[in-house]
Amino acid sequence: MKKVLKIAGWSLVGLFVVYTFYFLWKQSQPAPVVYELIEPQQRDISKITTATGSVEARNQVEVKPLATGVISQLMVQPGKVVRMGDVIATIKIIPDMAQLNQAKGQVESARITLSEEQREYDRIKTLYDKGVVSREEFEMKESKLASAKEGLKAAQTQVEVITKGQSSRSGDVNITSLRSTISGVVLNVPVKVGASVSGTSAFTEGTTIAKIADMGDIIFRGYIDETEVAKLHLGMEMELTLGSMQDVKIPATLDYIAPEGELQNGAKMFELKASAHIPSDVNIRSGYSANACIVIAREENVLSCEETAVEFADGKTYVYVLTSAPEDVDNQKWERRPVELGISDGIYVAVKSGIKKEDRLRGIQR
């Protein structure tokens, strides 16, 4: 009995030693490398580039006065809809003293000239009535008198314009009532009642009273990098995403590409303009930031795979195709195959040749 127990004990020790060596050997073996399997699929793939910018009215104007003065009334405020010809402000004229003095001097000079011409006319008319001077000489003097009268009226009109902004000879035309030059929405009114404003002239741009835009014609204005601009052409369709309305997609058509780039933050950027087709139920405000997605190339229903399955080496492209059973995860076998790729959208890439739809490709390591 003791002999049997002894043999059993040594047997257990032997089994423990064998198991220990097997366990240590198993632990020293590298774990099998397992990769995710990627199934090629038929997809529509579009190569897209993005331009950043904003939406604004195509036609925007700054309304400025023609005369220097002080604003006495403002009839508009931002957001108001106006029509062409509507009065948006009235201005109380503050005459320029130098101009006024010069105009009054011209009036006095015109009066002196008229007085002299009147006396000469009366003298010639007396002689003409007596038959001493010819009719031709009389008519010439009559014409000079009429010209002198007109000169006085013109000088007086100039004084009225400088002091009042209009004259009796101008009818309804005046420069004290500032009118809108287009129909649209008032975007901004940068002045207040009582503010001094200067009129436009050859030497100054004048003070902006209001900025008005036709919000019925909206465009996207943005910039794109020089590496992408060569791929664009007029008439390309794009989709606008507004920063304030992420769920709204607005179609647009590219209708302008700047012929010259601008240096921005060390990169050459080219300006783009596109006509936006605003849906009737979308209310757009000028200045919304927007991103324009432009489809450069598109392939429909093409065999494709994830870009993570593609390997680039020596200027060529390869994929690894599973040759073992898909269910044998611990013993995956792969065949390296060259492939010809098409366009990519950054996630999926079209595969023109080298694989079939039923193949399983090597993805990222688990």
Side-chain angles (χ1 to χ4, degrees):
M1 185 69 181
K2 291 183 178 179
K3 186 176 182 180
V4 172
L5 292 174
K6 187 176 182 180
I7 292 172
W10 281 109
S11 297
L12 290 174
V13 172
L15 288 173
F16 178 76
V17 171
V18 171
Y19 174 77
T20 300
F21 276 104
Y22 173 77
F23 176 78
L24 293 176
W25 174 81
K26 190 70 175 177
Q27 289 293 103
S28 65
Q29 298 300 310
V33 179
V34 180
Y35 293 91
E36 292 184 353
L37 299 181
I38 295 177
E39 301 181 13
Q41 295 182 9
Q42 301 292 135
R43 294 186 178 91
D44 295 339
I45 298 182
S46 300
K47 187 174 182 180
I48 297 174
T49 186
T50 303
T52 58
S54 61
V55 292
E56 60 186 43
R58 186 189 301 273
N59 188 17
Q60 300 185 46
V61 298
E62 294 182 351
V63 182
K64 301 181 179 184
L66 297 176
T68 299
V70 173
I71 296 179
S72 58
Q73 279 186 302
L74 275 174
M75 288 75 169
V76 297
Q77 59 185 359
K80 182 176 181 179
V81 178
V82 296
R83 295 183 177 276
M84 181 185 297
D86 287 352
V87 177
I88 63 176
T90 57
I91 299 172
K92 179 182 178 182
I93 300 297
I94 297 179
D96 182 274
M97 295 309 297
Q99 291 183 351
L100 181 58
N101 289 335
Q102 183 180 4
K104 287 183 175 180
Q106 290 175 348
V107 170
E108 293 304 319
S109 178
R111 279 202 180 100
I112 294 172
T113 301
L114 176 59
S115 179
E116 293 177 353
E117 291 296 337
Q118 184 68 52
R119 286 196 302 270
E120 187 66 18
Y121 171 79
D122 293 340
R123 186 180 66 84
I124 294 298
K125 187 175 185 305
T126 300
L127 296 176
Y128 174 71
D129 291 340
K130 294 179 180 181
V132 176
V133 297
S134 65
R135 181 176 181 82
E136 180 181 358
E137 186 176 354
F138 172 73
E139 290 178 349
M140 185 181 299
K141 188 56 63 175
E142 190 177 37
S143 177
K144 286 185 179 181
L145 177 61
S147 178
K149 290 179 179 179
E150 185 62 31
L152 178 59
K153 289 181 180 180
Q156 291 171 336
T157 298
Q158 183 65 19
V159 173
E160 290 181 358
V161 171
I162 293 175
T163 56
K164 300 178 181 179
Q166 61 180 348
S167 70
S168 56
R169 303 181 72 184
S170 61
D172 295 334
V173 178
N174 69 82
I175 58 176
T176 59
S177 296
L178 190 61
R179 299 180 181 272
S180 175
T181 55
I182 65 170
S183 298
V185 178
V186 179
L187 301 182
N188 188 23
V189 181
V191 295
K192 297 180 179 180
V193 173
S196 297
V197 295
S198 59
T200 56
S201 67
F203 308 101
T204 178
E205 293 184 356
T207 305
T208 299
I209 303 299
K211 185 177 181 180
I212 303 174
D214 178 9
M215 298 303 294
D217 186 6
I218 300 297
I219 65 169
F220 166 80
R221 184 195 301 270
Y223 290 87
I224 194 168
D225 189 84
E226 63 179 332
T227 58
E228 300 289 343
V229 71
K231 304 172 185 177
L232 306 182
H233 60 82
L234 299 182
M236 294 184 73
E237 299 298 323
M238 61 174 63
E239 189 176 68
L240 305 180
T241 303
L242 304 180
S244 59
M245 295 182 284
Q246 295 288 333
D247 56 335
V248 177
K249 306 299 181 183
I250 298 176
T253 304
L254 183 63
D255 52 23
Y256 173 79
I257 304 173
E260 182 180 12
E262 302 176 15
L263 190 62
Q264 298 182 2
N265 299 323
K268 276 288 187 179
M269 307 295 289
F270 287 78
E271 185 183 22
L272 304 178
K273 293 180 185 179
S275 299
H277 312 298
I278 309 297
S280 58
D281 59 340
V282 177
N283 182 28
I284 297 295
R285 298 180 184 273
S286 182
Y288 275 164
S289 61
N291 290 328
C293 293
I294 309 171
V295 178
I296 298 176
R298 181 177 177 85
E299 293 185 6
E300 297 181 353
N301 196 31
V302 293
L303 188 63
S304 63
C305 68
E306 296 178 18
E307 283 197 352
T308 54
V310 181
E311 178 186 81
F312 298 87
D314 302 326
K316 297 181 179 180
T317 52
Y318 301 89
V319 296
Y320 287 85
V321 180
L322 183 69
T323 57
S324 58
E327 59 272 11
D328 189 4
V329 178
D330 293 335
N331 297 286
Q332 292 178 331
K333 304 296 181 184
W334 306 97
E335 176 188 353
R336 190 189 193 205
R337 290 185 191 174
V339 291
E340 182 183 357
L341 303 180
I343 65 173
S344 169
D345 62 5
I347 300 176
Y348 300 103
V349 59
V351 183
K352 295 183 177 180
S353 63
I355 61 171
K356 300 177 182 178
K357 188 175 182 179
E358 57 268 19
D359 290 333
R360 298 295 177 265
L361 309 181
R362 189 178 78 179
I364 61 175
Q365 183 177 341
R366 291 182 181 177

